[in-house]
Amino acid sequence: MKSVFPGLLLMLAFFTGYGQVKDGIRLREVASYKTDVSMNKVVVCMDDRSVWAISENGKVYFKRNADVDFTEFAATAALTITEITGYNSNEMYFLTAGKQVYIFENNNLRLLASPLLVDVNNIAVVCAKRNETLGKHFGRRDWLAVATKRALYSVFREDPLKTPEVFLGAGLSNAPDPEFEISNAGFKSVDIRYKSNENHPCYGPTSKLYYSNNNLLVFPRRLRETGPGYSSNITCTYYEDSFNLAIDADGSGQMEYWGTDNGMFVANGGMCDPSRIFKKLDGIRINDLEELNVLRNVYNRRFMMIASDNGFYYISTMLYLSELKREPNDPEIETLEMIRLPMEAGKVKSIATELYSDAGQITADSYQMCEKTVWVATEKGIRQLAVLPSIFTSMSMYAQFITRNVQIIYPVATVCADSQLDLEMKFSEAVKNRLSIQWFRAEADYENTRQEITSLNGQLKGSFKTNGWYGYKLVDLCEGHIVDPIGIDLQMVPLPNVTFAPPPITRTCLAGSVDFTTEYNSAYTYRWYRDNRIISGATSNNYTADIGGVYRVEVRSCGNTFSASPSTTLMKVELPVPTIAKSTEKTLCFGETVTLSATAFDGASYKWNTGQTTREIIADKSGDYRVEMSLGNSCSNPSTPVTVTVDPLLKLETPPEAKICILRNQRLKLVADQGFITYTWDGVQGTSNVKEVTATGIYNLQVEDKNGCTANVSYVVVEFCSPVIPVSAFSPNGDGHNDLWTVGGLESDPDAIIKVYNRFGTTVFQGTGSNASWNGKFKGDDTPAGVYYFVVIKKSAEKPLTGSLTLIR
């Protein structure tokens, strides 16, 4: 998919309606602190950008860069402070109402005790290590300028004793008391004023002249304080000279600004024509002047800010050197617009810019400076102002610059699920190195619930494929300018759900039709095809086909991408009358099944009278079975029924346990039910339902009826004989009756011992349970008739059985 924003080019926004001309700036109050305290002075330290302020009653307040508010500085709580300057929050200088200088370093406050440092008017640090334009006297050394009535002193930063040295001494230019004053202090300009009686080539001799120069008197300049139209006292100065000359290739600079108790003046420092001195804010006391630099690392753009008893003003249009060289009748300078910032703060006493560089030193060749925050001391506390980006729409070199004036928008991007949303940012190489790029995603409101996509940090391109709000944030590393212009509601439209999944071949009767259907969605677009040609008017989710051919449907959910279904070939055929085949024709035994199969026909559907809808079914019950075969809703044919017969369950009753007396040679008959075709006794098949047995055991029988159905039963035979009963008399005469003397009941004890004795105790017979009969003979001879005695010894009996018997002859 092509990018939703192809070549998303971030350009400086062009806004109108701000009451300013082109190439201007805007300032806005963004925070206020200590609004119940009247403040006289505010400074910003170059090293750590800590902000310091002095109240009207001489109390010091400070705020480090990471602090949320200003705190009263406890180290000077017992002093009344009138001036403040320094390098960082642990290397500060304070001037008291008694005109004494204190230093705070290493968390210790001490007096700079020196007989030279008396009647001190002002103090200011000179940061020459970073700003080469302030380092022409002592080289790249940082030092403290101390202005007194008699001289200007220097106190070097690296001097641990902080011993003052005379820079400009008493009696300068034949003035006994030069009255040195610092009329402007800051990183860009340190202006020194003093009295002189010298004759000036432009203004002529005068009793009181002031010199101002940010290069510390290398090129002295005079500011007229007396004369027609200038009867006012100078309160502050700003002289843009070598700092801007060192930075700006076009050499613009040397413009002089000075504030008085009756307005502000501006003039070209190299001109003597009094008609080219212009006055602004007539009748208003001016308390402080400060220059503001915007995007100076690209091109020279400078603006002036004014602190006055009537509030805060700034000149929104750049002042060029050439503009002060126009003809006297050119009214442009006189009509420069002075914008008063709407700020309910009363009198504005002091201005300081929060300036820092990402280079170790600021030179003409290496110049990367950020100046985007302004601090103001007012009657109602300290105010923080934001420098909104300049509008340079007429200059091509700014076309690639980023501003926070781009309005946040929330377009809706609809993207098909098989594609993606591509966002790309384009910058010039110079700008890209100064930007931090972050991408964000949110489930709902991008502005309030977004989460960072860390995997895309620093990337110029982002590709997204899931629903959500997406956007990016650019942070200009110069003072953290945030550019947050784009929030995109990405709505990924899923691919359509195409549910039409027909078989490769679809059949219908010669006079029939087929309904083709896919899932319905009101957001879908449908188109049906026959033989790869769109069917005119077939734009719904269903289509009734009655002509042979190859059919498919295509569905679109978004964009121009259609998703296609599989194709099916519709064939017009004649439906046969179905027949039913059985897997067996025999009568089924109980528990057996038969498979019934209808005629196979591609594309046909089946319905049996049992309710089943498969071509084959399994039958296990007696009855008539039939099936109806159909092709869609177009035609159907019923079959001739087939009959299935299932025998009832064949079951034999289990016989009771049978008994046999083997000792007596008993024979036992096992009798089964009659009426079966075969009887299989213990694996031997026959036709008899009777089996004779002579031994104990389990006898298995299987019977089979005329349908081949079988049943099984088992017979259990156990041994049982009557108790031991000896015969009391016998007559062994060979007549076949009572010829033997026997002992009954020993069938289960064949090892029992039987003995017969005569009256003399002689054993005439001995046998066992398996041979328990006596024939009346002893050693082959007949024994005489009479009474005899017997003993039966059984292993299962504790005592032998004894008794008598009678032998009759």
Side-chain angles (χ1 to χ4, degrees):
M1 173 187 174
K2 293 183 179 179
S3 172
V4 173
F5 297 97
L8 183 62
L9 180 62
L10 299 179
M11 300 179 65
L12 196 77
F14 181 78
F15 285 82
T16 59
Y18 290 108
Q20 63 190 69
V21 297
K22 69 176 183 178
D23 296 345
I25 60 168
R26 289 190 300 138
L27 297 176
R28 178 184 298 165
E29 181 181 359
V30 294
S32 59
Y33 305 90
K34 304 300 178 186
T35 56
D36 57 343
V37 180
S38 179
M39 298 291 182
N40 277 351
K41 184 73 178 273
V42 62
V43 298
V44 179
C45 293
M46 184 65 184
D47 286 356
D48 61 359
R49 289 181 292 151
S50 57
V51 185
W52 297 76
I54 307 172
S55 69
E56 189 175 5
N57 61 0
K59 299 301 179 183
V60 177
Y61 296 83
F62 75 103
K63 177 184 178 298
R64 297 182 182 89
N65 192 251
D67 295 343
V68 297
D69 201 353
F70 282 81
T71 305
E72 185 174 351
F73 190 55
T76 59
L79 302 175
T80 301
I81 306 301
T82 59
E83 289 284 350
I84 188 171
T85 187
Y87 302 101
N88 55 60
S89 58
N90 196 38
E91 195 174 2
M92 298 296 296
Y93 294 91
F94 304 92
L95 178 62
T96 67
K99 296 193 173 185
Q100 292 180 307
V101 180
Y102 283 78
I103 180 173
F104 177 80
E105 62 179 352
N106 300 322
N107 294 316
N108 180 51
L109 182 71
R110 62 186 175 88
L111 175 67
L112 283 183
S114 171
L116 300 177
L117 303 184
V118 294
D119 293 327
V120 178
N121 294 321
N122 309 100
I123 57 176
V125 296
V126 180
C127 297
K129 281 190 176 180
R130 294 194 184 188
N131 187 350
E132 68 175 355
T133 64
L134 296 180
K136 295 185 178 180
H137 293 287
F138 304 117
R140 305 304 287 271
R141 300 170 69 187
D142 292 341
W143 55 285
L144 173 71
V146 182
T148 73
K149 181 178 181 179
R150 302 288 295 170
L152 179 69
Y153 297 93
S154 57
V155 178
F156 292 100
R157 186 178 188 182
E158 67 270 19
D159 179 7
L161 299 178
K162 300 297 186 285
T163 302
E165 300 180 13
V166 176
F167 180 51
L168 293 174
L172 180 67
S173 299
N174 301 316
D177 292 312
E179 286 287 353
F180 283 93
E181 289 184 296
I182 300 173
S183 55
N184 184 276
F187 178 75
K188 299 185 292 292
S189 174
V190 179
D191 294 350
I192 307 299
R193 298 193 301 146
Y194 64 93
K195 295 179 182 179
S196 173
N197 292 323
E198 291 182 352
N199 186 22
H200 193 275
C202 291
Y203 306 133
T206 181
S207 61
K208 192 176 183 181
L209 289 176
Y210 286 79
Y211 287 75
S212 177
N213 186 277
N214 77 328
N215 204 25
L216 298 179
L217 308 175
V218 173
F219 301 104
R221 296 289 185 266
R222 302 188 185 196
L223 303 181
R224 183 184 294 273
E225 188 177 68
T226 61
Y230 301 103
S231 57
S232 53
N233 295 318
I234 294 178
T235 56
C236 54
T237 65
Y238 192 92
Y239 183 67
E240 59 169 39
D241 186 10
S242 55
F243 175 73
N244 293 309
L245 289 174
I247 303 306
D248 303 327
D250 63 358
S252 63
Q254 302 186 38
M255 292 182 65
E256 296 178 351
Y257 303 84
W258 65 96
T260 72
D261 55 8
N262 188 28
M264 186 196 76
F265 295 86
V266 57
N268 187 299
M271 298 176 64
C272 294
D273 186 357
S275 67
R276 303 307 292 165
I277 300 176
F278 302 97
K279 185 178 183 181
K280 306 296 292 185
L281 302 177
D282 190 17
I284 299 176
R285 177 181 173 85
I286 309 301
N287 299 314
D288 194 13
L289 298 171
E290 183 64 44
E291 188 180 68
L292 177 66
N293 292 262
V294 178
L295 299 176
R296 285 295 304 274
N297 58 312
V298 179
Y299 197 71
N300 178 25
R301 289 295 177 267
R302 304 189 307 279
F303 305 87
M304 182 55 63
M305 299 178 293
I306 304 102
S308 77
D309 281 359
N310 194 40
F312 182 92
Y313 290 86
Y314 64 96
I315 301 174
S316 66
T317 303
M318 296 173 294
L319 294 177
Y320 293 94
L321 175 63
S322 60
E323 290 177 324
L324 294 180
K325 294 181 179 178
R326 297 181 187 274
E327 295 300 321
N329 59 356
D330 190 330
E332 182 172 346
I333 297 299
E334 292 90 330
T335 59
L336 285 177
E337 184 178 8
M338 306 293 292
I339 296 178
R340 185 176 185 273
L341 190 68
M343 183 170 60
E344 299 299 327
K347 295 179 180 179
V348 178
K349 304 295 188 63
S350 174
I351 303 172
T353 59
E354 185 173 312
L355 181 150
Y356 72 98
S357 170
D358 57 8
Q361 296 178 344
I362 296 179
T363 67
D365 297 327
S366 175
Y367 185 69
Q368 293 287 327
M369 187 179 72
C370 290
E371 197 169 25
K372 307 300 181 187
T373 302
V374 178
W375 296 92
V376 182
T378 76
E379 275 188 320
K380 298 181 181 180
I382 305 164
R383 306 303 172 106
Q384 182 183 0
L385 309 181
V387 182
L388 304 186
S390 301
I391 299 175
F392 299 115
T393 56
S394 64
M395 304 186 66
S396 61
M397 68 176 60
Y398 288 97
Q400 299 292 327
F401 265 79
I402 312 304
T403 81
R404 63 188 300 175
N405 289 332
V406 180
Q407 182 181 3
I408 297 178
I409 59 174
Y410 297 105
V412 176
T414 301
V415 179
C416 296
D418 61 341
S419 188
Q420 64 188 22
L421 172 68
D422 297 322
L423 294 181
E424 180 179 2
M425 291 174 280
K426 293 183 178 180
F427 314 108
S428 67
E429 288 299 319
V431 176
K432 184 170 64 176
N433 294 332
R434 292 177 51 207
L435 297 176
S436 169
I437 303 172
Q438 295 171 284
W439 294 87
F440 294 87
R441 179 183 185 275
E443 293 292 340
D445 180 9
Y446 168 70
E447 191 169 10
N448 297 315
T449 64
R450 59 189 177 186
Q451 298 292 324
E452 184 177 1
I453 307 173
T454 56
S455 61
L456 291 179
N457 279 352
Q459 302 297 316
L460 295 180
K461 296 181 180 180
S463 298
F464 311 102
K465 298 187 67 172
T466 57
N467 287 338
W469 293 71
Y470 293 91
Y472 56 82
K473 179 173 75 174
L474 306 177
V475 179
D476 185 345
L477 299 181
C478 173
E479 275 305 302
H481 249 172
I482 296 176
V483 181
D484 200 1
I486 299 295
I488 297 173
D489 180 9
L490 175 58
Q491 297 178 2
M492 298 297 296
V493 179
L495 293 176
N497 185 24
V498 183
T499 59
F500 182 54
I505 297 177
T506 301
R507 292 173 172 83
T508 187
C509 299
L510 295 176
S513 62
V514 178
D515 291 332
F516 294 144
T517 302
T518 189
E519 178 183 305
Y520 172 75
N521 189 306
S522 60
Y524 289 175
T525 300
Y526 304 89
R527 61 188 185 191
W528 291 87
Y529 285 79
R530 179 176 60 243
D531 297 333
N532 291 323
R533 294 184 178 181
I534 295 178
I535 303 173
S536 177
T539 58
S540 68
N541 68 306
N542 54 66
Y543 179 74
T544 300
D546 57 3
I547 301 175
V550 180
Y551 289 84
R552 75 175 188 276
V553 66
E554 291 185 352
V555 186
R556 181 183 65 191
S557 58
C558 73
N560 296 318
T561 302
F562 280 83
S563 298
S565 72
S567 296
T568 183
T569 300
L570 179 61
M571 298 178 63
K572 308 282 284 187
V573 297
E574 183 176 357
L575 184 68
V577 176
T579 60
I580 300 174
K582 299 167 63 177
S583 60
T584 179
E585 294 294 336
K586 77 180 190 71
T587 299
L588 303 179
C589 298
F590 185 85
E592 291 182 333
T593 62
V594 61
T595 299
L596 305 180
S597 302
T599 302
F601 193 81
D602 287 341
S605 59
Y606 302 85
K607 186 172 183 180
W608 297 80
N609 59 333
T610 61
Q612 294 164 283
T613 57
T614 56
R615 188 178 70 83
E616 292 184 346
I617 65 171
I618 303 298
D620 60 358
K621 294 181 177 61
S622 297
D624 291 336
Y625 291 81
R626 56 186 175 275
V627 67
E628 185 177 62
M629 184 168 63
S630 304
L631 278 178
N633 298 322
S634 59
C635 58
S636 63
N637 286 327
S639 70
T640 301
V642 296
T643 300
V644 173
T645 301
V646 180
D647 266 4
L649 177 64
L650 181 62
K651 186 176 181 181
L652 298 176
E653 295 294 333
T654 302
E657 188 177 71
K659 300 178 180 179
I660 188 171
C661 186
I662 299 174
L663 182 64
R664 298 174 181 175
N665 297 320
Q666 183 180 0
R667 291 180 176 274
L668 180 65
K669 290 183 178 181
L670 304 178
V671 181
D673 294 339
Q674 295 182 346
F676 296 103
I677 300 300
T678 62
Y679 294 84
T680 301
W681 295 93
D682 290 327
V684 179
Q685 188 180 51
T687 58
S688 174
N689 69 321
V690 178
K691 180 177 177 64
E692 187 177 87
V693 298
T694 60
T696 61
I698 298 176
Y699 296 88
N700 297 311
L701 170 65
Q702 183 184 73
V703 296
E704 181 178 340
D705 66 8
K706 62 181 180 179
N707 295 319
C709 302
T710 61
N712 295 278
V713 71
S714 295
Y715 292 80
V716 178
V717 178
V718 298
E719 185 176 358
F720 180 79
C721 293
S722 58
V724 177
I725 304 174
V727 177
S728 60
F730 73 107
S731 56
N733 53 11
D735 60 359
H737 296 285
N738 206 18
D739 288 334
L740 298 174
W741 177 77
T742 61
V743 180
L746 294 178
E747 295 86 353
S748 61
D749 195 358
D751 295 327
I753 299 173
I754 304 168
K755 292 182 179 181
V756 179
Y757 303 92
N758 60 18
R759 59 188 177 91
F760 300 109
T762 303
T763 300
V764 295
F765 171 76
Q766 181 172 332
T768 63
S770 59
N771 185 20
S773 60
W774 179 40
N775 59 4
K777 293 182 180 292
F778 177 67
K779 296 183 179 181
D781 297 327
D782 291 335
T783 57
V787 178
Y788 291 83
Y789 303 94
F790 66 87
V791 176
V792 178
I793 303 174
K794 295 183 64 178
K795 291 182 179 180
S796 60
E798 295 181 358
K799 296 181 179 180
L801 177 65
T802 61
S804 61
L805 60 90
T806 301
L807 190 156
I808 301 173
R809 292 227 180 246

